[in-house]
Amino acid sequence: MSRSILTRIIARIAPSLRARRGLRISVHLNQDGSALERGYHAGDPLTLVYRDHLPDLAPGTTDRVILDRVFAAANDSPASPHYEQLAHHWAAHGLRSLSVGDVVVIGRRAFACQRFGWDRCPPRL
């Protein structure tokens, strides 16, 4: 098979492969003992505890919806079947609750959990 034919085949199927993978998320727990009181600060020690892809999200699903669902699943209340795997992972590994100062990355966008809601933070992860 010639290189140009192979290139055309890959170009043709690549979008469908990306669509199946879904949106990549990762969850990082803040290891600084004072983070629960003050929130996330750049340079805080973070530990990656979960990384996966969320398949088949409805078009237009906002970052806020994803973040709230990740929070619920990491606190043993998955709001959607897409997040049940995260909830099972969390329980199986005995992880503490997702809380203030922890960071969730959606694609290349990072968000720090606050007392109420989420703040965008630099994606140094």
Side-chain angles (χ1 to χ4, degrees):
M1 185 178 303
S2 75
R3 186 178 187 109
S4 64
I5 293 173
L6 185 57
T7 302
R8 284 190 299 227
I9 291 170
I10 291 171
R12 183 179 232 167
I13 66 171
S16 63
L17 292 175
R18 280 194 292 274
R20 281 189 211 128
R21 286 186 52 182
L23 187 62
R24 183 175 170 165
I25 64 162
S26 60
V27 181
H28 307 260
L29 297 182
N30 198 323
Q31 301 304 311
D32 187 302
S34 63
L36 187 59
E37 294 297 319
R38 62 170 172 76
Y40 171 77
H41 286 157
D44 280 354
L46 300 174
T47 299
L48 173 66
V49 295
Y50 185 79
R51 178 178 285 156
D52 201 1
H53 289 87
L54 295 174
D56 303 327
L57 293 176
T61 301
T62 65
D63 288 343
R64 173 62 191 250
V65 168
I66 295 169
L67 291 165
D68 288 346
R69 289 180 178 172
V70 167
F71 181 87
N75 288 288
D76 202 25
S77 299
S80 158
H82 299 300
Y83 301 84
E84 287 178 6
Q85 183 175 341
L86 187 150
H88 292 302
H89 172 88
W90 217 265
H93 289 85
L95 298 169
R96 67 164 174 77
S97 298
L98 181 75
S99 194
V100 174
D102 296 332
V103 175
V104 175
V105 180
I106 303 170
R108 294 181 183 214
R109 300 173 307 282
F111 300 87
C113 184
Q114 300 299 319
R115 288 180 195 269
F116 299 99
W118 301 85
D119 282 343
R120 186 97 185 248
C121 59
R124 69 168 184 90
L125 312 168

